[in-house]
Amino acid sequence: MRLWDLLYRMKALPAEYFAVFGISPQLALDLPELQRQFYVLSKLHHPDRFARASADEQRYALDFTSLLNDAWRVFRDPVGRAEYLLKLRGYDTADGRTNTVPAELLEEVFELNMALEEARDGDSGAKKQVAEALTHFTALRQGLDVERDHLFAAYDASPADTHLEALRSLLNRRRYIDNLVRDAQQALS
Amino acid sequence: MAYSDKVLDHYNHPRNVGSMDKSDSAVGTGMVGAPECGDVMKLQIKVNPLTGIIDDAKFKTFGCGSAIASSSLATEWLKGKTVDEALAIKNTDIVNELALPPVKIHCSVLAEDAIKAAITDYKVKQGADVAALAQAH
């Protein structure tokens, strides 16, 4: 066995997505720059370039490429990126029980769901209520995204747990709103 | 993913869907949500003030089949129980009864939390009533 093959056999894949891009875990990523990096790495590790290489080299190229594609897919979406970092730091959604969202938001979400149901049944008054709520929740989501970008910058400047906790709570709220906006758009289309 | 027959039965024929007067002092309301999936669940109990037994239970859930089945089953179990007996209902009981797969366990947690929230609301109301009575005298 060639020494080169042996090295490849021992070469470990990056342990997480940030390491795939050779960066430290961070939130406010420059997307165009990351995309350039994605193309560079894609070319470098493209399996076609290893067609005549050893089996180990071929497998590494394939595994790295698939990891790179996953990492890019997750990172290009700010919410996906934040969820990924939170998970990495032990802030999974699953361990937050159910009382992590303000009661008023739940009430609002519940009311709109009722209106959505009535709108689906053909109630025109409910349809109007849904249209108004859609405007309201879309604005709410935009506000959350501005807040999210502030938290991204704050975390990158000083990676404190308090920023991650705030981000966890923000993303929890955002998920309800996301579902609502999607359902409302469907009901109105 | 395939739902168990019991989940399907509760999903297709949910028991006790509806709502009760939130301001009624005998009614406890629990409103909970699961951030993993954006589900919301409202569960209400009506307690007989003389016996302390839950006479009626209603729910309305916006979510997946397992969340609807979990809350439907919970309302069935709540009727006829005392408040303390109701507090003893665990999410694992729901998981076992409905044969929920691991990815749907949070639906049963949601139902347990809704029961607890409804009971807390009821108890707070009773406490508030006592205070109001004491003030009136």
Side-chain angles (χ1 to χ4, degrees):
Chain A
M1 182 184 284
R2 288 187 305 158
L3 178 63
W4 185 247
D5 291 343
L6 198 65
L7 283 174
Y8 254 98
R9 184 155 293 175
M10 287 160 51
K11 196 169 174 185
L13 283 166
E16 37 84 359
Y17 292 164
F18 292 102
V20 171
F21 283 99
I23 54 178
S24 62
Q26 53 193 284
L27 290 168
L29 292 174
D30 175 358
L31 265 192
E33 175 53 32
L34 195 74
Q35 187 169 33
R36 263 194 297 280
Q37 208 50 37
F38 169 69
Y39 289 142
V40 168
L41 287 168
S42 292
K43 248 184 223 164
L44 202 62
H45 293 273
H46 199 286
D48 286 357
R49 293 190 55 215
F50 297 86
R52 264 171 286 179
S54 72
D56 285 324
E57 281 174 275
Q58 284 185 20
R59 198 178 47 236
Y60 185 89
L62 204 64
D63 289 348
F64 187 95
T65 302
S66 109
L67 200 60
L68 177 67
N69 286 325
D70 290 344
W72 169 241
R73 194 172 31 81
V74 167
F75 282 178
R76 64 193 298 178
D77 167 30
V79 173
R81 192 190 314 151
E83 286 288 358
Y84 183 78
L85 187 110
L86 284 166
K87 210 169 177 174
L88 216 57
R89 293 284 179 259
Y91 290 90
D92 216 336
T93 19
D95 63 0
R97 292 274 287 193
T98 48
N99 50 357
T100 50
V101 170
E104 312 83 73
L105 178 63
L106 279 184
E107 290 280 351
E108 251 185 300
V109 168
F110 192 88
E111 285 307 314
L112 180 56
N113 270 307
M114 292 294 276
L116 275 171
E117 208 170 66
E118 284 157 22
R120 277 188 210 108
D121 293 343
D123 184 329
S124 59
K127 234 176 189 148
K128 189 165 168 278
Q129 197 188 339
V130 169
E132 282 165 9
L134 180 61
T135 314
H136 165 66
F137 279 103
T138 307
L140 208 60
R141 185 166 63 177
Q142 276 165 359
L144 283 183
D145 288 349
V146 172
E147 204 183 318
R148 178 197 68 204
D149 288 342
H150 286 313
L151 281 171
F152 277 12
Y155 178 81
D156 288 350
S158 101
D161 280 352
T162 49
H163 298 317
L164 293 182
E165 279 155 24
L167 196 57
R168 172 75 283 150
S169 137
L170 185 146
L171 291 180
N172 284 351
R173 277 176 281 153
R174 196 183 188 282
R175 186 165 296 117
Y176 290 101
I177 295 168
D178 240 8
N179 284 0
L180 274 179
V181 169
R182 184 200 58 210
D183 292 347
Q185 277 166 345
Q186 247 170 31
L188 294 173
S189 68
Chain B
M1 188 194 59
Y3 282 125
S4 73
D5 289 345
K6 279 181 181 163
V7 171
L8 284 176
D9 182 34
H10 277 280
Y11 178 70
N12 290 321
H13 313 283
R15 277 65 138 179
N16 311 309
V17 173
S19 85
M20 295 185 276
D21 181 7
K22 230 169 72 170
S23 57
D24 185 339
S25 69
V27 171
T29 303
M31 175 87 84
V32 292
E36 295 93 328
C37 45
D39 288 359
V40 271
M41 181 182 289
K42 184 167 95 169
L43 188 148
Q44 293 181 300
I45 52 167
K46 186 168 194 165
V47 184
N48 184 324
L50 299 173
T51 57
I53 286 173
I54 297 169
D55 276 347
D56 202 6
K58 294 262 184 249
F59 85 95
K60 180 75 190 166
T61 295
F62 296 103
C64 67
S66 302
I68 291 168
S70 295
S71 38
S72 170
L73 177 68
T75 54
E76 269 197 328
W77 278 355
L78 285 169
K79 284 200 219 175
K81 280 196 165 65
T82 65
V83 169
D84 286 339
E85 283 167 351
L87 274 175
I89 296 175
K90 290 274 166 293
N91 82 294
T92 45
D93 304 334
I94 297 169
V95 170
N96 292 335
E97 176 67 20
L98 295 176
L100 294 180
V103 291
K104 291 293 178 182
I105 285 176
H106 68 267
C107 299
S108 68
V109 173
L110 201 59
E112 184 192 321
D113 285 356
I115 294 173
K116 297 224 152 70
I119 292 174
T120 304
D121 181 52
Y122 168 74
K123 284 188 168 169
V124 166
K125 271 183 182 166
Q126 297 307 303
D129 270 7
V130 171
L133 279 175
Q135 231 173 20
H137 284 282

